[in-house]
Amino acid sequence: MTSENGGGSPTDGADDPPDTEGSDGTDPDGKAGGSDPDDAIAPNRNALWARALVDELAAAGVERVVFAPGSRSTPLVVAAARHPDLALLSHLDERSAGFFALGIGRRTGTPAALVCTSGTAAANFHPAVIEANQARVPLVVCTADRPPELRDSGANQTIDQEKLYGDAVRWYRDLPEPEATPRKLRRLRVDAARAVGTATGTPAGPVHLNVPFSKPLEPVPVPGDVPEDLADRDPGAVHGREGPFVERHANPPAGDAGASEVADLVETADRGLIVTGPADAPPEGFPALVDLARATGFPLLADPLSGVRFGSHVDDAPVVGGYDGFLDPALTGGWPAPEVVLRVGASPTSKPLRKYLARAADRQVVVDPAGGWREAEFAATHHVTADPDALARSVLAEADLSDDEAAAVDSDWRDRWLSAERAHWATVEEARGAGVGSADPTGPGGDFGGDPFEGAVLAAVVEAAPDPSTVFVSNSMPVRDLDRFARPRAVDLTVLGNRGASGIDGIVSTALGCGHATEDPLTLVTGDLAFYHDMNGLLALGRLDVEATVVVVDNDGGGIFHMLPIEEFDPPFTEAFRTPHGLDFEPTADLYDLSFRRTDPGDFEAAYRDAVDGKGSTVLSVEFDAAGSHRTREAIQERVVERIRDDGA
Amino acid sequence: MTSENGGGSPTDGADDPPDTEGSDGTDPDGKAGGSDPDDAIAPNRNALWARALVDELAAAGVERVVFAPGSRSTPLVVAAARHPDLALLSHLDERSAGFFALGIGRRTGTPAALVCTSGTAAANFHPAVIEANQARVPLVVCTADRPPELRDSGANQTIDQEKLYGDAVRWYRDLPEPEATPRKLRRLRVDAARAVGTATGTPAGPVHLNVPFSKPLEPVPVPGDVPEDLADRDPGAVHGREGPFVERHANPPAGDAGASEVADLVETADRGLIVTGPADAPPEGFPALVDLARATGFPLLADPLSGVRFGSHVDDAPVVGGYDGFLDPALTGGWPAPEVVLRVGASPTSKPLRKYLARAADRQVVVDPAGGWREAEFAATHHVTADPDALARSVLAEADLSDDEAAAVDSDWRDRWLSAERAHWATVEEARGAGVGSADPTGPGGDFGGDPFEGAVLAAVVEAAPDPSTVFVSNSMPVRDLDRFARPRAVDLTVLGNRGASGIDGIVSTALGCGHATEDPLTLVTGDLAFYHDMNGLLALGRLDVEATVVVVDNDGGGIFHMLPIEEFDPPFTEAFRTPHGLDFEPTADLYDLSFRRTDPGDFEAAYRDAVDGKGSTVLSVEFDAAGSHRTREAIQERVVERIRDDGA
């Protein structure tokens, strides 16, 4: 927050409009124009304006207003506080507030309104706005601003907020200055409806309303500011309607364009794949696409963030989750290529999968409801703008797959994938069960290098997490380890991450925003750097009453760099890349009044179950040696590939 | 940092240029094109490119490179690490890194280079970039980027970094992709020189170079990537020159336009004022302007951040620092108006001063070296683009002031100001000395309301700070209390704040950046919200070896709101505005390995002296009740005004 503002009465601000110069704003019991202010439409134009805006946001579906305290945003905050259907959520650090609001939209698909005062407060939202844009998360940003005459004047806490987020928002509008006229109020109500409509459109994303206010910012009566007959002249403009000012209905793209061609591709292919990348918000799975996988027998490669890796369909659909571990060119080089690949969602987390898809298929169909081209190997041969599930239904109807479930599939092809899948998970289970971590190279874990590996944490979490619950993972290694070590399961897990821009910023807050938005128990699995980056976000636990189990996979900074060739160049590797920080996060327990528990990798699963069963929030820290963990990770992969080769695949 | 990147060899990245596909990047001892790589110009084009850029930044004056670890920026970080004249400073949170770099430029006038990887990392710099823009602090931002073919493709950690900071930078350039050709390298070297030249120009400010790299990012040999005869063909392009590639010299505006008119205004005015607002970076004082004040006798109203409130000239020049306390309309309404006001620097911190200037003068001259119009009351009658000190010298030469120092001034006018100044400080001293804080309304502090006031902390710091030293203050109340309670003194104090956008973000890091850049002892005085907002910045104490005394004026959130009328509206005042957080910052001691000491307001000065004398860094927390402190602040002001009135002024 940037709670910067001048003191004194509301009428001596640099930005007072001349017409309020004479009002006595300091007396809340003052009379507006001689009449009782309680009878007045609103004490002043700012209050009327903010109420109309906030009312319409709520009518359009917004349920939560996240803000960081400041002065210029006072009319908006007061209006939100007085609205019976809005939860007003106060953070202190705008960057954390931004990601907290992002988490609400991420988990639910309903945007939070995100409010700040003027100045750099708004710039602190920028990372969350970019993530919302790229991950298609609805978000309505309302930045209070100084009035136009103060912009570029040297006035205090005044920056250029116009188009502050550039092309990262779906819609931007610099609202006019508040005016108590029917025309302006109608446009304002329409703008609020449009803001929510655009944020929740296809694709969903952030919108930005810049909202200038002159003083007085408080709901003090300003005689004559709001004409007494305004509501008589246009009740709709002043009080809105029962329900939203404009009832919105938006249809995503529909129709069958492309369906016949895709049906033909599917029907004639012996070897096909369906790939579900990270889902847009909220993740709702792709039931028809799963049906298509069942009907064709095409392996369904499910990113852990796709909404498809977990769920009851896993029991009877050919869901594959181990690809990140077995798609080794040394192995797949001997495999026949798929004839067709259907791709939905964002670009998959798994680099081995992306590389495999770049090399593999003659026909790759990218399906995106918003017409996005989310495929960075430039291997797509077909592009269909359609809801993936609607397209799958059309394909199921058009393709001749009904009589024999496996009619379209080469069963060797399917078996090859399912057998590789089994080999992967069997090996992972061996590694987990063999007491990796005994540090004895001749012991049972010796086959895997003897070092505990971070992936075991992710494997354990998806096994032990409550059903249903929400699991949020940070970028860098946790999401990769999730991808490789989290076995598909028939449970109701909502697994989320910030894969839009894949930053390590704002992770704690995004997760806690998800937790605030549902009744689900929440687990966050984060690396130590992401945890550190957004420690301020922990404030929401107590302040906004969120409960979470936070698992910190602590390798003292930057384990991911052990995967990169820069490791060979030291210096500058250790100092400039591995980034050891030596931080012990235990003091966060006292700072934020949470339980902090340190556990050995070997005891992690039991400690995690305890934490989840207990009341209140726990930070569970598990220390790893990044280099050792990486060695074990590689050893497991080698073992998987060997095993599949031994199986003759 | 956003240390997100794929694993594997450097040549299997999504963004590999096809021409490096066959190279074996994992072997650092490999041979480049059959010759020894140590003899080669550079192992690959990226290394050559980054070295040329970093070399020229250093040749142009950059001494420090601040970065947060990541992968895409590897060529830049490796080049900086290998440069003998550059300090490579690694932070973990890019927002803190940005402000740390800002602090370096703020304190020294020499820009730091600020480097990050691709993605939201760059967006985390945005608040610091805005502050650098508005406070005129030089800063060279280099954001690594993915190559153009990956932009807007759904590729991992790829965002739209083009013009990311909008109009907040003085210059933006999206560098071409690295190429080992003389023409491209020459342009790159010129760009580096231009970047530093623009950042340090008039006005100084931030510049942004976006720097795309394809893999390999590490200094692995890529045969054929850098032609062996390149240096023979154009040694200057490849190795640069002795010294910078382009010797830059830039003159600020010079000449006497406006000097005669200002001299005439000054000479004919009986009652004049000189107002120095917050200074551009670095603050160097205005010696000629001080001479002009001496020669005319015009009171010199010196903002605490102007570089004029402290210094040896205070002993013999009419420096006034108490205006924020005594410029009460009830008092000054009876004063004659000044005939001319000379204004330099940014808009003053003091709202009473700004309001007084808006009402007061017939002639107001705004002098700005960059032609800025930094005057938000729109009261200026004259605008001069000139270096303020150069203008002052011309005015001194042209105006007829030489014979009698006070020729131009109405001595009643000067005495009125100096007597008010004495009354202000006498009252402040009484309040400080009277044991305010005894909480006994009949005790000696009773006159002032009996509550300890936060201003006493600022008064004590400028009294007890080492001479010379740097004092950094946060926005919100500390800078206002500094303005009102820090008495002008003949000591070498460099007093700084972030008054460009006046945010409460990045305060800890900006201060520590200042501390890193000089040998001066460093004191930071911050409110608790600003301290919390940038706690991550404390990492620099140990990691970047900065020593500081950090004074936290802790009123549990948002004391400034007690100055605003919203206080009268509760709810929502307490929850939505006063923002109590209940945080106890003592655990930061364990987190960051520093001393934490809590002190009562009454013991503060002794505790501060101890902390400054001791080794290592100390956080000194002083708790205040915001409402009580505010009452005392007001009581002191009332007393000042009474006293001046009693004195007959």
Side-chain angles (χ1 to χ4, degrees), chain A residues 29 41 145 196 272 411 527 555 599 641:
Chain A
D29 298 324
I41 296 167
D145 200 357
V196 178
S411 63
N555 57 33
T599 176
V641 171

Side-chain angles (χ1 to χ4, degrees), chain A residues 10 46 73 79 136 144 192 202 314 335 432 466 544 549 594 635 637:
Chain A
N46 286 341
S73 50
R136 300 182 172 178
T202 305
V314 164
W335 291 12
R432 292 178 65 203
L544 300 175
T549 302
L594 46 81
Q637 188 186 2

Side-chain angles (χ1 to χ4, degrees), chain A residues 29-41:
Chain A
D29 298 324
K31 302 298 180 192
S35 68
D36 188 303
D38 292 340
D39 294 339
I41 296 167

Side-chain angles (χ1 to χ4, degrees), chain A residues 63-64 100 103-105 107-108 512-520 546:
Chain A
E63 295 169 358
R64 293 172 172 84
F100 192 86
I104 292 167
R107 180 65 183 84
T108 64
L512 298 186
C514 292
H516 192 276
T518 66
E519 297 290 309
D520 272 11
V546 187

Side-chain angles (χ1 to χ4, degrees), chain A residues 1 4-5 12 69 93-95 124 126 156 158 355 476 480 502 504-505 532-533 536 543 579-580, chain B residues 1 4-6 12 69 93-95 124 126 134 156 355 476 480 502 504-505 532-533 536 543 579-580:
Chain A
M1 59 162 286
E4 178 63 34
N5 208 284
D12 68 355
D93 177 340
E94 288 87 2
R95 184 173 63 180
N124 279 278
H126 202 167
N156 192 32
T158 307
K355 293 295 149 192
S476 199
R480 289 198 171 75
S502 298
I504 65 163
D505 43 354
Y532 159 79
H533 207 289
N536 277 4
R543 190 172 175 96
T579 67
Chain B
M1 59 162 287
E4 179 63 32
N5 207 283
D12 69 354
D93 177 342
E94 289 86 2
R95 183 173 63 181
N124 279 278
H126 202 166
Q134 305 209 167
N156 192 32
K355 292 294 148 194
S476 199
R480 290 197 170 76
S502 299
I504 66 161
D505 44 355
Y532 159 80
H533 208 288
N536 277 4
R543 190 172 174 94
T579 67

